[in-house]
Amino acid sequence: MDSTEDDISARVLLRRVLHTELPKSPVTRSATNVRRSMRLKNTPGPESPGSALRHRLKKKLHESASLSPLPSPKRPRSALANTNPPVTAPSPVYDEDMTTRGLLRGIIQMETEASLLMSGQPALQESEPNQAESSAGERTEGLSGVELSDLTLNTEPLTQVVRGLSRKKPQRVFSVSAFEEQFDQLPDNTEDISRVFHKGDVSQEKGDASQVLDLSSDSKSGLNLTLKTPFVEKRIERAGLQRKVSNRRLQSVDAFDEAVQRCLEQGPNQDHSVFQDGKTLEDSSWQKFTLGLSDVTELYVQPKKDDTMGPSAENEREHELERPSEIPDSEPLIQEEKDHELESQDEEEVVHSSQDDVYLTPEDDIVLAPTQAMTESLPESHDMELQDGEFVEEVEIGNVVEIEYENVVETEDQEVVEIEHDSVEEVEDENVEDENVEEAEDENVEEAEDENVEEVEDENVEVENENVEEVEDENVEDENVEEVDDENVEDEKVEDENVEVENENVEDEKVEDENAEEVDDEKVEDENVEDEEVVEAEHNIDTSQYLVQITRRAHRSEGGGAVLGIPGTARVTKSFGAGLNPREKDLLDFVDEGRESLQDIPDEEREPLGSPEFPPPHPAAELSTPEQRSQQHEASVAEDDDAQEELNQSEEEELMDSEPPNHSPQFPQEEEEEEDDDDDALSAELSMKTPAFVRQKRVFTSRTTQSTPTVLKEVNTGPAPQVAKRGPRQKRQTGVNVLPKSYVMSVFKHFAKTKVASDVYPAINEILKKYFERLADDLEAYATHAKRKTIEVEDFELLMRRQGFLTDTTPVNILIEKYLPMEYRKLLIPVATSGNKVIPKQRR
Amino acid sequence: MDEDAAQKQRLKAAVHYTVGRLCQDISADCEKQITKQTIAAIAETAFRQCDIFAKDLEAFARHAKRHTVTVDDVKLTARRTTALYNYIQQKSEELALNNQELKEKRKKNAAKRKSKDMEVEENELED
């Protein structure tokens, strides 16, 4: 029982000290005596040890609660002022007690700084007797509801926090053992006292008792001297010190004054809010916190305001004080504090937060501060939200970046296009060769055809290069004509198209010649000659046709697309960048573009006979040639870039064949299905970039037809001149990344259990390329197998079944609901309100 | 259920036996030995792959809105493996030719029969 008595005495001592220090709490012998008596009464000697422990715990809790919240700066000051006069009051009590208590009390009283802390604590401690006191009441109220352990932990000194300022902050385990260790180390009695209270939280009365005894003994040795080093010690100590005041001390005096003033101004309102409702304080503090930050951070702050449990009202206060005074400076401090809070609160959370920090650091710095704090304070579940927000933020940032890039690209279209052409040519040739090789295996004749095709493609590439340099109008017209021819050729595939194709080609050539340069004409003529040879070989025609068609369609789609005046390269990049954008945005954009493109395409297709009389191309198509050409190049070349794009193109083709309005919903569906097949996010985003992707898809589909089995050969036919024109346009940047690196790496890292180096991106890129190529190839095969020319939803369903996503038990809709965001789902699964304006009937 | 399992076992055994024989021939050619575990693994894989093929073929046929699995479905299944695909291609062409020949023969026969019938009829009529 002695230990219990000692504990009680320590507590009582502290209380008394606090009371004496409190300005509003007149500390008198009677009061102290009363308290003592109350204490004694509360802790009956004959009680069983268990009940005694309970009493101690309660007391400790109160004490710690009182200790943890940092009183407003003013309060400590006032407390200080008040403590001085009342110092004498407890003196008699002190004299009465020469126990350790008395010593501690004396120490506390003697030390003004310490008293500051104590002033808050006693107020809190004496919640019962001093509830009447406003300050005390406030403190107690706020503290009572707050986890004491958290409070203590949160108030780690700034110095420690600053030191530990890093992505992975050393997880500070808030454990009793640590406290014990600290206790042993601490010479300062005040610290011990705080620890004692904390320990109360931990419910280790025995340890406290022993420690208190030790502390008291230490205090005896150096009463006054040691008192003046509490803060330093506290800093050394970790969780034990919840003295936020110490942290504040670290700050400049001016900042402190400012904070104090602000607290005064905010004063009672804040205090009440802080203690009464941690959340409100957090919100206000957060708002203050975010004032100095970009708006983006607010996004993260807001959702987390509620989540951030006020680990301690004091922390919030600190934040408030700090923020108004030094928002930028406080950020790291706050983070630190929060980090400490988290650490103290939950190791796991700390770990998680640290992980999140790592996660967050790569992102905007602006968001870093709040997000870190927020993530730390938030439970793991919220962390996920933050991550999503981070992604969103990234997306936003990526969008901005992409937009900028697009603008830049526009200005440098020609240059880029030219460069692209050169690179594209090579890639394209290689691609064509590869495709041709595949086909050659099937038939010997194909070999010759392949050669011709390659030659044709080379010429086309050259032509395209030259065309790029030409006037935009001419190119546009040429493209239009080519597209028309391509369409015509496609329609006549079944019949003996060779002759007609040749005729058409000739016509096209003529038209092209008129518009194109002489070189082009020559090449076209050469191509025609070759085409005649190739005519026998359907493959060549098919390739050229498809290449041209794709490029044409790409242009058309581009023309019809909302993105006008944006070079194809820009579009491609935009699409990549848009990948980061919220899917909804992309979807909407894509849908719009798709619809526009669809509109363009059907118009063109309706005129099967590709004659010069073909109606003028879509007004939008009359884009700057470099843009168009770049687009074409991208479309023709980027066969491997985006399978989804190709799929989308194929989808568009299908849609074009049928009425556009019907296909618009299908289009996203197909795309979405593709997305389901592929990465959901990736596909959605890619599909959104209609023009470039559409072109790419078309090119891909056309080329895949070349490589597809004989089934498709019969179907594919195309005029030679189209190939010629498509050459330069076909230059697709197959060397370009399939998807933006940042996006790919982020997704990859998300699913990877371990760290991922950025060196893997090239390999991933290649894999993605092949995957998309194969994907589009399969879809095309499926469509051909069904004797269709356009890829339909059922093709996708078949693909998904083969991939294992779909089973007899999981229909497509379930997958849609599971993986796609609401926007896409609405498109895929017809809902009453999807795509329609529902005006509810007003009932009277 | 037991019957299905029993039948499955028998099928597996048949596959295993065939695979074993093939492996023996291959080992003789390569002058290397093939362990039994390898043969078992190959047999099991082949059996499962047959199952997958069957499902795919059915899906393809259904995709083409047909109730019968045809050569086209098989070709679609084997399009990835170029060697096998080529082989199947040749075989299908040969079969197609044979079918055409058969059809021609049938037509001829049919024509002959018709002519004969006509003659018979004429004869009868004449008679």
Side-chain angles (χ1 to χ4, degrees):
Chain A
M1 298 307 293
D2 293 342
S3 62
T4 60
E5 289 179 356
D6 292 340
D7 292 344
I8 297 170
S9 66
R11 288 180 220 142
V12 173
L13 177 63
L14 288 172
R15 285 185 184 177
R16 289 174 188 173
V17 171
L18 292 173
H19 283 296
T20 57
E21 293 174 357
L22 283 175
K24 294 182 183 180
S25 62
V27 177
T28 59
R29 227 189 237 186
S30 63
T32 57
N33 293 334
V34 170
R35 291 167 193 161
R36 268 188 186 175
S37 63
M38 290 172 60
R39 273 281 184 167
L40 296 172
K41 289 177 185 176
N42 293 337
T43 61
E47 277 186 1
S48 65
S51 61
L53 285 173
R54 287 174 211 155
H55 286 293
R56 290 176 198 168
L57 290 175
K58 291 178 183 176
K59 292 174 185 177
K60 287 179 183 177
L61 286 172
H62 288 298
E63 291 169 358
S64 63
S66 65
L67 290 173
S68 57
L70 292 177
S72 62
K74 185 178 182 181
R75 288 176 192 168
R77 289 183 178 175
S78 64
L80 289 173
N82 294 331
T83 54
N84 293 332
V87 167
T88 59
S91 62
V93 177
Y94 183 80
D95 295 339
E96 293 176 359
D97 273 347
M98 285 308 297
T99 63
T100 59
R101 282 184 239 172
L103 291 172
L104 289 173
R105 198 185 307 160
I107 293 167
I108 292 168
Q109 293 174 357
M110 293 302 293
E111 184 62 26
T112 59
E113 292 180 352
S115 67
L116 285 176
L117 297 174
M118 298 305 297
S119 63
Q121 294 171 356
L124 297 172
Q125 290 175 356
E126 299 298 339
S127 61
E128 298 174 359
N130 297 332
Q131 283 177 353
E133 296 175 356
S134 64
S135 63
E138 294 174 351
R139 295 168 189 172
T140 54
E141 290 177 2
L143 294 171
S144 62
V146 182
E147 296 179 6
L148 297 173
S149 62
D150 298 341
L151 295 175
T152 58
L153 294 173
N154 294 331
T155 59
E156 286 195 5
L158 292 176
T159 57
Q160 292 179 355
V161 172
V162 173
R163 293 171 195 168
L165 217 177
S166 63
R167 265 304 163 193
K168 297 179 180 180
K169 297 171 186 176
Q171 297 177 1
R172 302 186 182 182
V173 178
F174 176 73
S175 62
V176 178
S177 62
F179 278 97
E180 291 177 357
E181 294 175 355
Q182 291 174 354
F183 273 110
D184 296 338
Q185 294 174 0
L186 289 178
D188 189 355
N189 297 332
T190 58
E191 296 174 346
D192 296 340
I193 293 169
S194 64
R195 285 182 177 173
V196 171
F197 294 125
H198 291 302
K199 286 226 166 176
D201 301 340
V202 182
S203 74
Q204 291 185 354
E205 297 178 359
K206 295 181 181 178
D208 295 343
S210 62
Q211 291 174 359
V212 172
L213 293 172
D214 296 338
L215 294 174
S216 63
S217 64
D218 293 340
S219 66
K220 289 177 184 176
S221 61
L223 295 175
N224 295 335
L225 296 176
T226 58
L227 286 175
K228 295 195 176 180
T229 61
F231 296 98
V232 176
E233 295 172 358
K234 290 175 185 177
R235 294 166 194 170
I236 296 171
E237 299 172 356
R238 275 206 305 146
L241 296 178
Q242 295 177 351
R243 309 298 170 103
K244 294 184 181 179
V245 176
S246 65
N247 297 339
R248 292 178 186 172
R249 295 293 164 85
L250 296 175
Q251 292 177 353
S252 64
V253 177
D254 296 338
F256 187 78
D257 293 342
E258 294 177 0
V260 172
Q261 292 175 358
R262 290 174 188 174
C263 282
L264 292 175
E265 294 173 0
Q266 299 167 354
N269 297 332
Q270 289 183 349
D271 294 338
H272 290 291
S273 66
V274 172
F275 296 103
Q276 292 175 358
D277 184 0
K279 291 187 178 180
T280 57
L281 179 63
E282 291 177 357
D283 294 343
S284 63
S285 65
W286 278 115
Q287 291 172 355
K288 294 177 186 176
F289 186 76
T290 56
L291 286 176
L293 299 175
S294 64
D295 296 340
V296 179
T297 59
E298 290 177 355
L299 296 175
Y300 300 94
V301 175
Q302 290 174 358
K304 302 203 174 174
K305 288 179 183 177
D306 297 338
D307 297 337
T308 54
M309 291 301 299
S312 64
E314 292 178 354
N315 292 337
E316 296 174 353
R317 273 188 179 175
E318 290 180 347
H319 296 313
E320 289 177 355
L321 296 175
E322 294 172 353
R323 287 163 195 164
S325 62
E326 299 173 352
I327 292 174
D329 297 340
S330 64
E331 291 180 6
L333 297 176
I334 293 170
Q335 297 174 1
E336 298 290 355
E337 294 174 353
K338 292 181 182 177
D339 297 340
H340 293 292
E341 293 175 359
L342 293 175
E343 294 173 358
S344 62
Q345 290 174 0
D346 187 354
E347 297 178 5
E348 294 178 354
E349 288 181 358
V350 173
V351 174
H352 189 78
S353 64
S354 63
Q355 293 175 352
D356 294 339
D357 295 342
V358 176
Y359 218 108
L360 293 173
T361 43
E363 300 175 20
D364 272 5
D365 296 339
I366 295 173
V367 185
L368 184 61
T371 56
Q372 287 178 350
M374 298 199 293
T375 54
E376 293 171 357
S377 58
L378 291 177
E380 296 182 357
S381 62
H382 294 287
D383 292 335
M384 291 304 297
E385 294 177 2
L386 177 61
Q387 292 175 2
D388 295 339
E390 294 170 7
F391 279 113
V392 173
E393 188 182 14
E394 289 177 343
V395 171
E396 294 176 4
I397 298 166
N399 293 336
V400 174
V401 173
E402 290 301 338
I403 292 170
E404 294 175 353
Y405 180 73
E406 291 175 357
N407 296 333
V408 174
V409 175
E410 291 177 359
T411 58
E412 301 175 354
D413 288 345
Q414 295 183 354
E415 296 176 356
V416 175
V417 173
E418 292 177 355
I419 296 171
E420 292 176 351
H421 293 321
D422 296 339
S423 63
V424 169
E425 288 182 353
E426 297 177 353
V427 179
E428 184 177 342
D429 296 344
E430 293 176 354
N431 294 333
V432 175
E433 294 177 356
D434 294 341
E435 293 176 352
N436 295 333
V437 170
E438 293 178 357
E439 296 178 351
E441 292 179 355
D442 298 339
E443 294 179 3
N444 297 330
V445 180
E446 295 175 9
E447 292 176 354
E449 295 174 353
D450 297 337
E451 293 175 353
N452 294 333
V453 174
E454 292 175 7
E455 292 175 356
V456 172
E457 290 180 359
D458 295 339
E459 293 179 359
N460 294 334
V461 171
E462 292 175 326
V463 173
E464 289 177 0
N465 292 332
E466 295 175 352
N467 292 335
V468 174
E469 298 173 0
E470 292 177 356
V471 181
E472 298 177 358
D473 294 340
E474 295 179 350
N475 297 330
V476 174
E477 294 178 353
D478 295 342
E479 296 172 356
N480 296 329
V481 175
E482 290 176 1
E483 290 175 346
V484 175
D485 296 337
D486 295 338
E487 291 177 356
N488 297 334
V489 174
E490 287 180 349
D491 295 340
E492 301 174 350
K493 292 177 182 176
V494 177
E495 300 173 355
D496 293 338
E497 305 163 356
N498 296 339
V499 175
E500 294 178 354
V501 170
E502 290 177 348
N503 295 334
E504 291 175 353
N505 295 336
V506 172
E507 293 175 357
D508 298 335
E509 292 173 4
K510 290 179 183 176
V511 176
E512 295 174 356
D513 295 344
E514 294 175 355
N515 298 327
E517 294 176 355
E518 294 179 354
V519 178
D520 297 340
D521 296 343
E522 293 176 352
K523 292 185 178 179
V524 171
E525 293 176 352
D526 295 340
E527 292 173 357
N528 291 334
V529 175
E530 294 179 351
D531 292 338
E532 292 177 354
E533 297 176 352
V534 174
V535 167
E536 298 175 351
E538 298 170 353
H539 293 288
N540 293 334
I541 295 169
D542 299 340
T543 56
S544 63
Q545 272 185 346
Y546 279 94
L547 290 172
V548 175
Q549 288 171 355
I550 289 168
T551 55
R552 302 291 173 127
R553 286 184 180 175
H555 287 286
R556 284 179 188 168
S557 64
E558 290 177 358
V563 183
L564 298 179
I566 294 176
T569 56
R571 287 189 187 180
V572 173
T573 57
K574 181 181 178 182
S575 66
F576 293 144
L580 299 175
N581 291 334
R583 297 172 190 176
E584 295 181 357
K585 294 179 184 177
D586 296 341
L587 178 63
L588 294 174
D589 295 340
F590 180 66
V591 171
D592 294 340
E593 293 176 350
R595 287 174 185 167
E596 293 177 356
S597 64
L598 291 175
Q599 294 173 357
D600 299 338
I601 294 167
D603 294 338
E604 296 175 349
E605 292 180 350
R606 285 167 194 167
E607 299 181 358
L609 294 178
S611 63
E613 297 176 356
F614 186 80
H618 196 85
E622 292 179 359
L623 299 174
S624 61
T625 43
E627 295 177 353
Q628 290 178 349
R629 291 206 171 149
S630 63
Q631 294 171 353
Q632 285 180 343
H633 287 285
E634 295 173 353
S636 60
V637 174
E639 36 177 316
D640 303 340
D641 287 349
D642 294 329
Q644 291 177 349
E645 294 176 0
E646 297 170 352
L647 295 172
N648 291 337
Q649 289 176 355
S650 62
E651 292 173 356
E652 285 187 356
E653 292 177 355
E654 295 176 353
L655 294 173
M656 293 190 293
D657 292 340
S658 60
E659 295 179 2
N662 296 337
H663 289 286
S664 57
Q666 294 178 1
F667 194 74
Q669 290 180 0
E670 294 175 354
E671 296 172 352
E672 294 173 3
E673 288 182 353
E674 294 175 351
E675 296 172 357
D676 292 339
D677 296 343
D678 308 333
D679 295 339
D680 294 341
L682 292 175
S683 61
E685 297 162 0
L686 292 176
S687 63
M688 297 315 296
K689 322 300 176 161
T690 23
F693 286 77
V694 171
R695 279 175 271 136
Q696 292 175 355
K697 289 180 184 178
R698 291 173 186 171
V699 172
F700 186 82
T701 54
S702 67
R703 291 185 182 179
T704 55
T705 56
Q706 296 174 2
S707 61
T708 53
T710 53
V711 178
L712 297 173
K713 291 179 187 177
E714 299 173 355
V715 180
N716 296 338
T717 53
Q722 293 175 353
V723 177
K725 279 204 175 179
R726 211 197 298 169
R729 295 171 190 169
Q730 288 175 354
K731 281 183 183 176
R732 250 197 192 180
Q733 298 181 353
T734 54
V736 175
N737 295 336
V738 176
L739 289 171
K741 180 175 181 177
S742 61
Y743 184 80
V744 169
M745 293 308 293
S746 65
V747 173
F748 198 80
K749 286 178 182 177
H750 176 263
F751 287 106
K753 304 299 180 185
T754 60
K755 293 182 184 179
V756 177
S758 60
D759 299 341
V760 304
Y761 178 68
I764 296 173
N765 202 34
E766 288 300 318
I767 294 168
L768 283 172
K769 267 189 193 179
K770 292 182 182 175
Y771 180 77
F772 289 136
E773 289 176 19
R774 188 162 290 205
L775 189 80
D777 195 6
D778 288 351
L779 287 169
E780 186 186 2
Y782 296 156
T784 309
H785 183 257
K787 298 182 178 59
R788 282 187 274 103
K789 290 182 187 178
T790 53
I791 294 176
E792 285 284 349
V793 176
E794 52 192 31
D795 295 329
F796 272 95
E797 291 181 1
L798 186 64
L799 180 77
M800 294 191 72
R801 186 170 284 273
R802 289 212 72 192
Q803 287 188 347
F805 289 114
L806 266 184
T807 63
D808 297 338
T809 56
T810 60
V812 180
N813 286 352
I814 286 181
L815 284 178
I816 292 171
E817 291 171 3
K818 190 176 176 184
Y819 290 110
L820 292 182
M822 196 57 192
E823 292 288 337
Y824 292 140
R825 186 195 303 182
K826 280 189 177 177
L827 290 171
L828 282 178
I829 303 173
V831 180
T833 60
S834 64
N836 301 330
K837 290 184 180 179
V838 177
I839 302 172
K841 203 172 186 181
Q842 294 180 357
R843 294 187 180 180
R844 297 177 184 177
Chain B
M1 295 298 292
D2 294 337
E3 296 179 355
D4 294 340
Q7 189 173 7
K8 200 174 178 183
Q9 286 295 323
R10 271 176 276 154
L11 287 171
K12 265 191 187 176
V15 171
H16 189 93
Y17 177 74
T18 309
V19 169
R21 292 299 294 266
L22 289 169
C23 287
Q24 284 180 5
D25 296 341
I26 293 169
S27 63
D29 293 340
C30 298
E31 298 181 357
K32 287 192 178 180
Q33 290 183 348
I34 299 180
T35 61
K36 290 189 178 178
Q37 291 86 354
T38 309
I39 295 172
I42 295 170
E44 183 68 21
T45 306
F47 188 81
R48 293 191 188 177
Q49 195 64 26
C50 287
D51 183 19
I52 294 171
F53 278 150
K55 291 181 181 173
D56 288 346
L57 289 171
E58 179 193 356
F60 289 146
R62 188 178 303 166
H63 180 72
K65 300 179 180 66
R66 282 188 270 104
H67 295 287
T68 314
V69 177
T70 64
V71 180
D72 295 334
D73 300 328
V74 177
K75 286 184 190 176
L76 199 64
T77 307
R79 72 187 179 286
R80 285 294 171 193
T81 60
T82 51
L84 184 64
Y85 181 75
N86 294 338
Y87 182 77
I88 292 173
Q89 199 85 0
Q90 294 173 5
K91 285 294 180 183
S92 68
E93 290 173 0
E94 292 177 5
L95 285 173
L97 291 173
N98 292 338
N99 290 338
Q100 288 179 359
E101 292 175 357
L102 289 173
K103 286 181 183 176
E104 292 172 359
K105 289 179 183 178
R106 289 172 191 171
K107 286 179 184 176
K108 290 178 184 177
N109 295 335
K112 288 177 183 178
R113 290 170 191 170
K114 286 181 182 176
S115 63
K116 287 179 182 179
D117 294 338
M118 294 298 292
E119 293 175 357
V120 171
E121 292 175 356
E122 292 175 358
N123 294 332
E124 293 177 354
L125 290 174
E126 291 176 357
D127 300 339

